[in-house]
């Protein structure tokens, strides 16, 4: 045996562990047969819950979630031992995990027509989880959000976590802005959790809430959910297990339709443009699509007011997945 091989294996292992995030997410250009598909997938030592299945250039892929950490992953199905299940069976199989507990909590908070779903992370966290919505807009991306958080946090937290709720239409209309965000992530300046925000994000200025946004009669929720995920994959984005309702508007039936896709609705307890003040553990909402300068300005003022606390690591931005994971790891 070549005496240098063990060292080479060790070096390869180190490169995989420490540089894994350096590789960009694969771009799937020829997606076919994309569908909801549930079950258990195993590749030692990790169990995964399968959410989607699709073909791309002759290979079959799975979109899976680690039910302990809420991290998603895409890989070829041939690498896994797979047991197909119904959604009900899969949730029962993984019922003790933070992921399934979060789904259940979102369903319990489904009655309100506005802001159903998970609204905050762990209160003991000294900081917030920042979410920015990218609804359809003719205005360019408000880049101040991203450059300012990187500037404030680069010495204490890098990459800086942020969750972006993205619509299919925004991705289609703003390819250069999307490329800019992906480059920031590739440079390890920010780390993005991509939230499904529906494909069309239709809104009426006249219709009442109960017939507005995704509650508009004739809405195809399968299209709104799955087409957005496909658009993410074609753009090299990794879909998360989170969903944000357009306008934060839903009803109980719609919440259950979304959770049946394996997605956790995410609300907010601090929509800055509406004057709601964030507390420790808050899931903060601003709009990054250029349509809400007031909310962005308020967030930048918040950052500036926390400069000393940030420098002392006493006020941080939290990864939305970790916030939800920690909350439900502690739940009975």
């Amino acid at each position: 045996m070549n005496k240098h091989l063990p060292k080479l294996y060790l070096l390869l292992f180190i490169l995989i562990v420490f540089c894994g995030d350096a590789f960009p997410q694969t771009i799937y250009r020829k997606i076919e047969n994309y569908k909801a598909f549930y079950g258990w997938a195993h590749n030692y030592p990790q169990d995964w819950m399968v959410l989607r299945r699709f073909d791309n250039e002759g290979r079959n892929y799975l979109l899976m979630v680690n039910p302990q950490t809420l991290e998603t992953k895409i890989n070829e199905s041939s690498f896994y031992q797979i047991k197909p299940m119904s959604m009900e069976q899969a949730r029962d199989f993984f019922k003790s995990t933070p992921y399934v507990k979060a789904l259940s909590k979102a369903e319990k908070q489904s009655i309100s027509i506005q802001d159903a779903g998970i609204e905050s992370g762990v209160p003991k966290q000294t900081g917030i989880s920042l979410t920015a919505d990218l609804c359809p807009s003719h205005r360019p991306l408000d880049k101040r959000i991203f450059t300012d958080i990187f500037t404030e946090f680069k010495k204490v937290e890098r990459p800086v976590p942020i969750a972006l709720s993205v619509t299919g239409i925004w991705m289609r209309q703003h390819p250069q802005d999307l490329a800019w965000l992906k480059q920031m992530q590739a440079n390890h300046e920010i780390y993005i959790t991509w939230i499904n925000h529906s494909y069309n994000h239709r809104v009426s200025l006249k219709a009442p809430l109960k017939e507005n946004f995704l509650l508009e009669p004739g809405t195809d929720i399968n299209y709104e959910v799955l087409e957005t995920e496909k658009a993410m994959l074609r753009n090299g984005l990794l879909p998360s297990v989170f969903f944000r309702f357009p306008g934060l508007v839903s009803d109980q039936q719609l919440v259950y339709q979304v959770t049946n896709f394996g997605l956790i609705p995410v609300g907010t307890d601090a929509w800055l443009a509406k004057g709601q003040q964030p507390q420790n553990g808050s899931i903060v909402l601003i709009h990054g699509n250029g349509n809400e300068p007031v909310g962005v300005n308020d967030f930048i003022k918040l950052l500036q007011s926390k400069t000393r606390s940030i420098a002392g690591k006493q006020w941080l931005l939290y990864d939305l997945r970790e916030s939800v994971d920690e909350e439900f790891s502690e739940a009975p």
Side-chain angles (χ1 to χ4, degrees):
M1 180 177 176
N2 188 319
K3 65 180 182 180
H4 296 296
L5 277 179
K7 291 183 179 179
L8 287 172
Y9 289 142
L10 179 61
L11 178 60
L12 180 61
F13 175 77
I14 292 171
L15 285 170
I16 290 171
V17 170
F18 290 101
C19 302
D21 288 341
F23 298 106
Q25 170 67 23
T26 302
I27 296 175
Y28 300 92
R29 300 189 188 279
K30 298 182 179 179
I31 298 173
E32 296 178 311
N33 304 317
Y34 192 88
K35 60 185 69 176
F37 178 89
Y38 308 110
W40 165 81
H42 181 73
N43 186 341
Y44 183 83
Q46 183 61 51
D47 287 330
W48 298 82
M49 181 167 158
V50 184
L51 299 176
R52 309 285 184 266
R53 194 168 195 162
F54 66 95
D55 298 316
N56 188 80
E57 296 185 331
R59 295 183 179 182
N60 186 255
Y61 292 89
L62 302 174
L63 170 62
M64 302 170 285
V65 58
N66 180 329
Q68 300 296 338
T69 66
L70 280 70
E71 293 178 82
T72 50
K73 173 181 179 178
I74 293 172
N75 212 338
E76 291 185 46
S77 59
S78 58
F79 298 154
Y80 295 84
Q81 179 184 350
I82 301 167
K83 182 178 180 181
M85 300 176 178
S86 66
M87 172 51 101
E88 185 178 13
Q89 290 169 332
R91 284 181 61 166
D92 185 62
F93 185 83
F94 291 106
K95 63 185 177 184
S96 62
T97 65
Y99 166 65
V100 172
K101 289 177 182 177
L103 281 173
S104 297
K105 181 175 181 181
E107 290 170 345
K108 289 174 184 174
Q109 297 178 193
S110 64
I111 297 174
S112 173
I113 196 164
Q114 277 199 289
D115 215 13
I118 306 297
E119 295 180 3
S120 61
V122 185
K124 69 182 180 184
Q125 290 177 333
T126 50
I128 62 170
S129 295
L130 177 63
T131 64
D133 287 3
L134 298 175
C135 318
S137 171
H138 296 297
R139 295 185 175 94
L141 180 74
D142 198 330
K143 295 182 179 178
R144 295 176 299 159
I145 304 165
F146 309 96
T147 54
D148 280 37
I149 62 172
F150 175 67
T151 299
E152 288 289 342
F153 284 95
K154 63 184 177 183
K155 292 181 180 178
V156 297
E157 192 177 12
R158 181 172 180 176
V160 185
I162 183 171
L164 297 182
S165 307
V166 66
T167 56
I169 286 182
W170 188 91
M171 285 185 274
R172 190 179 70 201
Q173 293 179 339
H174 297 270
Q176 292 178 321
D177 286 334
L178 185 57
W180 185 83
L181 288 169
K182 289 166 63 178
Q183 189 59 51
M184 278 200 82
Q185 174 147 303
N187 293 341
H188 293 270
E189 295 170 343
I190 59 175
Y191 181 83
I192 304 170
T193 297
W194 295 99
I195 299 176
N196 191 324
H197 197 34
S198 82
Y199 194 89
N200 291 298
H201 195 300
R202 291 193 183 93
V203 58
S204 167
L205 298 178
K206 298 179 180 178
L209 287 183
K210 63 182 181 180
E211 296 177 3
N212 215 330
F213 297 100
L214 288 181
L215 297 179
E216 179 183 289
T219 295
D220 183 347
I221 191 64
N222 287 282
Y223 183 91
E224 297 293 340
V225 170
L226 299 181
E227 283 300 314
T228 308
E229 291 177 356
K230 288 163 67 175
M232 287 183 187
L233 295 173
R234 291 191 187 105
N235 281 287
L237 313 182
L238 178 62
S240 73
V241 288
F242 298 109
F243 187 91
R244 173 161 276 159
F245 292 110
L248 295 177
V249 171
S250 61
D251 62 12
Q252 193 169 33
Q253 181 182 6
L254 183 59
V255 169
Y256 275 84
Q257 285 179 309
V258 166
T259 56
N260 280 338
F261 281 104
L263 300 179
I264 303 166
V266 178
T268 177
D269 60 353
W271 188 338
L272 296 189
K274 291 193 172 183
Q276 298 172 352
Q277 294 303 306
Q279 309 298 321
N280 282 337
S282 283
I283 295 176
V284 171
L285 168 61
I286 57 178
H287 282 75
N289 61 350
N291 285 354
E292 194 182 77
V294 172
V296 174
N297 291 338
D298 286 348
F299 178 70
I300 291 171
K301 288 177 185 175
L302 175 67
L303 274 185
Q304 292 169 344
S305 74
K306 299 290 185 181
T307 297
R308 185 172 294 180
S309 297
I310 292 168
K313 295 189 177 182
Q314 296 168 330
W315 197 88
L316 298 172
L317 290 181
Y318 289 93
D319 185 321
L320 180 62
R321 297 167 307 169
E322 292 176 5
S323 294
V324 175
D325 165 28
E326 286 179 26
E327 178 183 2
F328 292 100
S329 293
E330 297 173 358

